Amino acid sequence: MRKQLVDRRTVLTATTALTAASLLPRTAFAQPAPASLPARGEFVVRGAHVLSMDNKIGDLAVGDVHVRDGAIVAVAAGVNAPGAQTLDGKGMICMPGFVDTHWHHWTSFLRPVMRTDDPKRTYFPVTAALGLHYTPDDSYKSARLSLAEALTAGVTTTHNWAHNVRSPAHADAEVRAMRESGLRGRFAYGPALGMPNDKPMDLADMARLKRDVGKDTMLTVGMCSRNIDGNNTARGAIDAAMATKEWTGAREIGLPITLHTNGSASIQLLDGANLLGKDVQLVHPLNLAEKDFDTLAKHGAHYSVSPLGEAGRPGEMQFAELMQKGVLVSLSIDNVTAERCDCFACMRMMQTVNKHRSGGKFKLPTKRLVEIATIEGARDLGFDAVTGSLTPGKRADLILIRTEAPNIAPIGDPYDALVQLAQPANVDTVVVDGRILRRNGQFTALDHDKVTREAADAVASLKTRAKWT
Ligand SMILES: [Zn+2]
């Protein structure tokens, strides 16, 4: 059975990919997904509670979703599809996969080094110190670890916010991990940790990677800007002149831009330098000034909210103010060393913070939260023509969530169940681009023991090289 699921159009296999990749031309990364992924077939999810997140289609209390060759063919009650495989959706919610819009996959395998109760071993000091010693293989094995976790939690699109690209080979390694995972996503090409602030990032290699990827509905390329507000100098502290040089260069290549912020300073600098635009995603809407909301709305910039981390930081999470001004807000995981990949908990945290701050004056219905975690994320990343909703013609990125589990059953309103009660363990099936990557809560092809073992070995070796004690 497993053999029949193998996609034979490519030559790489999971076990030889690492060695073979170094022998292949750079354009190998523009090739279709590796043979380790299950093939796309034809199937119908039958009898599920379908939440399409498409306003024209709406929700179906008992509905079917027909998928063929990676695309959604129909979303309706009683789909007729002779010969198609049936996925029993009874007792399940069927919805689009979650869209993460900011995640530092390169930091994921640092879990054994982290301690949240020891200031020397929290996320920032650990990543700043060990990040200087990463090999491309470390980047690959760390990214592979959390891309696998993303699938277990129902995330089907991710924004790989790679702010430690130490060489072109590091970029290629993370892209290879994304290709092999089967997830859809954007690779945001960033700086190397510790590089001088007066040295520009490698725009030529960003252009090379963008050319290699070409037109692709699975993978796009963007740029991670270095920090421009001086709040975390380990992540860069560039001035307006360097920001202008790099952002202009990225736009000439056609790369969207993303930036961490903390407070009003970066917004004011970007506005003063005429750098804000629809192609800009900012991360962490904390400590903004009132004037910033109008500025961001005027320029069409987006904001990614990482609720689990931000709720523990000084200042106010200002997504409500942004949404009231019409700024597009999306949801992100950030990292899975200090946080966890749990979009249900992220939605719940946004709801809780909103109630805590406004006492319910700003309306944030549960359906709106699910939209933020799906279609709004797709809009943020420019993937909304291909994913984010169950719409015929879009690519098939969908998840099935068990509603008969002890923590949900008996189910009432499905959106309430998702925001208030559901957990990643309730995600039964995950489909990306028509490939069934998880079924019955298990990977269909990925060897997770191997991924975990190799990540553990790699981080142990990294610690030794870095003389970390
Ligand atoms: Zn971040």
Side-chain angles (χ1 to χ4, degrees):
M1 182 62 188
R2 165 83 182 274
K3 208 169 178 181
Q4 290 170 341
L5 291 173
V6 169
D7 184 337
R8 299 187 179 285
R9 286 175 301 168
T10 52
V11 294
L12 289 179
T13 66
T15 49
T16 59
L18 198 57
T19 318
S22 60
L23 304 173
L24 291 168
R26 296 271 192 195
T27 49
F29 295 110
Q31 298 299 312
S36 52
L37 293 175
R40 301 181 185 93
E42 181 176 5
F43 61 87
V44 182
V45 176
R46 291 203 180 274
H49 194 144
V50 178
L51 309 180
S52 74
M53 310 319 292
D54 178 320
N55 289 334
K56 287 187 186 146
I57 295 171
D59 302 338
L60 304 167
V62 182
D64 302 343
V65 180
H66 183 193
V67 173
R68 186 170 58 223
D69 297 331
I72 297 171
V73 180
V75 180
V79 168
N80 184 27
Q85 180 191 354
T86 293
L87 298 193
D88 187 3
K90 191 163 169 288
M92 311 260 197
I93 290 171
C94 179
M95 60 178 279
F98 291 115
V99 178
D100 151 74
T101 60
H102 144 253
W103 187 339
H104 310 293
H105 287 280
W106 72 269
T107 66
S108 308
F109 78 173
L110 294 171
R111 284 169 176 165
V113 193
M114 301 276 299
R115 282 289 298 270
T116 53
D117 55 0
D118 178 350
K120 291 184 186 144
R121 292 167 195 275
T122 53
Y123 183 78
F124 287 110
V126 166
T127 53
L130 291 179
L132 300 173
H133 300 273
Y134 266 53
T135 63
D137 194 48
D138 291 330
S139 302
Y140 170 76
K141 284 175 178 160
S142 184
R144 198 172 58 162
L145 184 71
S146 44
L147 290 161
E149 183 186 357
L151 291 174
T152 67
V155 174
T156 55
T157 299
T158 187
H159 185 192
N160 184 1
W161 225 99
H163 55 356
N164 189 24
V165 179
R166 310 198 65 72
S167 74
H170 287 76
D172 287 348
E174 291 206 44
V175 166
R176 188 169 71 245
M178 293 176 77
R179 290 289 200 202
E180 291 177 9
S181 74
L183 266 87
R184 197 180 306 284
R186 180 193 294 173
F187 176 76
Y189 198 125
L193 269 179
M195 70 180 282
N197 290 318
D198 59 357
K199 181 185 168 194
M201 288 198 285
D202 192 347
L203 286 160
D205 198 56
M206 292 181 205
R208 184 274 305 172
L209 188 62
K210 165 105 170 142
R211 278 195 307 276
D212 285 358
V213 167
K215 280 200 180 301
D216 190 328
T217 58
M218 290 302 295
L219 182 71
T220 59
V221 183
M223 182 185 85
C224 292
S225 174
R226 287 178 279 180
N227 283 6
I228 58 177
D229 53 19
N231 274 314
N232 182 351
T233 51
R235 306 286 198 234
I238 58 173
D239 58 16
M242 181 59 83
T244 302
K245 183 185 175 86
E246 292 188 332
W247 288 43
T248 305
R251 284 175 166 141
E252 284 168 0
I253 305 167
L255 303 182
I257 299 162
T258 181
L259 172 75
H260 283 134
T261 69
N262 184 0
S264 190
S266 357
I267 313 298
Q268 295 310 308
L269 183 147
L270 291 171
D271 192 32
N274 289 317
L275 290 174
L276 287 169
K278 291 186 174 66
D279 57 351
V280 175
Q281 180 213 54
L282 305 170
V283 181
H284 303 317
L286 294 163
N287 303 311
L288 301 173
E290 188 65 34
K291 61 186 174 186
D292 298 332
F293 306 129
D294 287 319
T295 301
L296 293 165
K298 184 174 80 178
H299 292 286
H302 314 157
Y303 243 113
S304 175
V305 181
S306 310
L308 300 187
E310 282 166 25
R313 293 190 187 184
E316 303 279 6
M317 290 171 65
Q318 295 163 308
F319 53 83
E321 288 88 335
L322 291 165
M323 291 171 72
Q324 281 170 317
K325 296 287 184 181
V327 175
L328 191 154
V329 166
S330 65
L331 186 152
S332 60
I333 299 301
D334 195 342
N335 69 79
V336 287
T337 41
E339 315 304 336
R340 57 187 167 154
C341 178
D342 184 342
C343 292
F344 306 103
C346 286
M347 294 189 291
R348 173 66 188 256
M349 182 62 84
M350 283 184 78
Q351 182 194 55
T352 302
V353 166
N354 184 54
K355 282 185 190 165
H356 182 67
R357 288 195 65 215
S358 80
K361 279 192 209 118
F362 178 65
K363 300 294 176 206
L364 196 52
T366 47
K367 183 174 182 180
R368 188 81 190 103
L369 286 160
V370 178
E371 286 172 349
I372 290 169
T374 55
I375 186 64
E376 297 291 54
R379 287 196 182 109
D380 182 8
L381 298 180
F383 277 117
D384 49 312
V386 292
T387 192
S389 65
L390 303 183
T391 304
K394 283 194 181 184
R395 304 303 292 172
D397 297 352
L398 61 87
I399 57 177
L400 297 178
I401 295 165
R402 280 192 220 106
T403 61
E404 291 165 352
N407 61 305
I408 297 186
I411 188 167
D413 177 78
Y415 293 104
D416 254 41
L418 291 172
V419 174
Q420 313 295 134
L421 306 172
Q423 305 167 4
N426 301 132
V427 179
D428 177 275
T429 299
V430 179
V431 175
V432 189
D433 212 52
R435 300 179 195 274
I436 302 171
L437 302 180
R438 299 264 301 171
R439 183 74 182 132
N440 301 319
Q442 303 291 323
F443 288 108
T444 56
L446 187 143
D447 183 347
H448 191 251
D449 286 347
K450 178 172 180 280
V451 167
T452 309
R453 192 173 60 247
E454 291 185 358
D457 290 348
V459 74
S461 166
L462 171 66
K463 280 170 68 180
T464 304
R465 285 200 314 280
K467 300 186 171 49
W468 179 271
T469 54

